[in-house]
Amino acid sequence: MKTIQISHPEREKVTLDAYLLDGGLKLGQEVKRPAVVICPGGGYIYLSPREAEPVALAYAAKGIHAFVLYYSVGWEVAGFTPLRELDWAIGLIRAHAEEWNIDAEKILTCGFSAGGHLALAGGLLGQEKPNGMILGYPATKLATGDDPLMCRLLTGKDTPTPEEARWLDLAPQVTADAPPLFVFTTGEDALTRRMTLDLVTAYDDHGLLCEYHLFQKGPHGYSLANAVSADGSSQVLNPHVEKWLDLSVEWLFSVFGEPEFRDVSTSHIMDAMREMGIDLPAAPEADNA
């Protein structure tokens, strides 16, 4: 695997970190693999490291190219700048798909909490729409009359126009051409449980592909739900919820198909010996007697 960090052409704080799997590993297999663009959560105030590289490495271990988008946060979000940054990231990946051995028709967003809002917005409102979306406890509805902060962050206004306000509540933006969706949350997540159900209902109303998992117990912000992403907190450890990643990979391959491998030997010791100039004994002739 190789890693690359690519800076946004206009915003130096915005980067796309790529975790690219080797194309062949000397197996002669330049396999086109799916890719996920991970959007960490953090309420558009900061970016959670627990939902960034650990998730990327987990997907890479499953044979999927992974990217982490470190998008704008804080007051720089006004005008929903992160959505344009996600467009940039997906467009960049598609432009380099051949070079990076990525299947350009299998690029998905993956986001958590507010990052789930961004990953979903990319699929519903973006210019460079992903082919699918994987969302963990997504905060799909960000502004209420009691909490205008997200309204000011995303629009730069206390009273946005209807066009600007559509970024704040995404379930009503689901249309018949929305990308396939995998989503999970928990029954004890008071922040996202209801809004996730609203999103799933919108998908169901349009007859769209959607796999939904409501795990019974657990707080908001599980990430991988294991020690790799726990940052020392036992509150976000749950072996049952941890299964969401494997479920999402199974769903991805079931919807988009698995990479096609040729059936070849994984041993190349003979090739290596020839490169060293070592003469190899001829294979014995078959006994036809």
Side-chain angles (χ1 to χ4, degrees):
M1 182 175 71
K2 66 178 179 179
T3 59
I4 306 171
Q5 184 175 81
I6 304 164
S7 298
H8 191 280
E10 299 175 1
R11 303 177 187 91
E12 63 179 17
K13 294 181 181 179
V14 175
T15 61
L16 182 69
D17 285 9
Y19 299 78
L20 300 172
L21 298 169
D22 295 325
L25 296 176
K26 287 200 170 182
L27 300 181
Q29 305 214 50
E30 298 300 323
V31 177
K32 302 297 182 187
R33 299 177 183 271
V36 293
V37 184
I38 298 159
C39 303
Y44 287 111
I45 299 295
Y46 86 114
L47 296 176
S48 170
R50 297 180 48 251
E51 296 163 346
E53 183 173 82
V55 180
L57 293 177
Y59 274 114
K62 300 295 183 180
I64 297 168
H65 298 296
F67 297 80
V68 178
L69 176 62
Y70 293 94
Y71 52 90
S72 293
V73 293
W75 297 118
E76 296 179 5
V77 170
F80 207 2
T81 302
L83 180 57
R84 297 194 295 275
E85 294 163 354
L86 180 56
D87 283 337
W88 162 74
I90 296 174
L92 182 72
I93 294 167
R94 287 196 170 122
H96 289 271
E98 189 68 25
E99 174 188 353
W100 293 340
N101 292 307
I102 292 172
D103 189 327
E105 301 301 319
K106 300 178 183 178
I107 299 173
L108 293 83
T109 53
C110 173
F112 305 87
S113 194
H117 174 271
L118 176 56
L120 176 60
L124 302 181
L125 304 174
Q127 296 297 313
E128 287 279 354
K129 289 184 171 58
N131 302 102
M133 300 174 294
I134 297 171
L135 309 180
Y137 41 91
T140 66
K141 188 174 183 178
L142 289 180
T144 66
D146 298 330
D147 181 17
L149 174 60
M150 284 299 155
C151 180
R152 292 201 303 270
L153 279 178
L154 287 171
T155 69
K157 302 177 181 179
D158 289 328
T159 308
T161 66
E163 177 67 17
E164 293 166 336
R166 69 181 183 144
W167 299 334
L168 303 174
D169 186 5
L170 293 177
Q173 313 308 322
V174 174
T175 57
D177 61 349
L181 171 67
F182 176 97
V183 60
F184 78 93
T185 188
T186 69
E188 294 181 346
D189 187 341
L191 176 62
T192 70
R193 183 188 69 249
R194 177 61 62 180
M195 60 180 69
T196 301
L197 183 58
D198 290 342
L199 174 62
V200 172
T201 300
Y203 259 69
D204 183 66
D205 288 344
H206 286 87
L208 296 166
L209 286 175
C210 175
E211 182 164 324
Y212 170 45
H213 294 272
L214 179 65
F215 295 98
Q216 181 177 350
K217 293 186 175 295
H220 184 74
Y222 259 130
S223 186
L224 295 173
N226 61 24
V228 174
S229 65
D231 197 22
S233 173
S234 62
Q235 296 180 20
V236 289
L237 296 176
N238 190 319
H240 184 53
V241 178
E242 183 183 5
K243 296 173 184 176
W244 77 260
L245 185 110
D246 284 338
L247 291 169
S248 75
V249 172
E250 292 173 4
W251 170 84
L252 190 160
F253 289 145
S254 71
V255 172
F256 296 99
E258 299 206 26
E260 294 184 6
F261 293 91
R262 289 182 288 111
D263 188 9
V264 297
S265 171
T266 60
S267 175
H268 290 267
I269 188 170
M270 297 301 184
D271 294 338
M273 292 174 68
R274 292 189 185 95
E275 290 176 5
M276 295 171 62
I278 299 174
D279 293 329
L280 302 176
E285 294 184 5
D287 185 358
N288 296 320

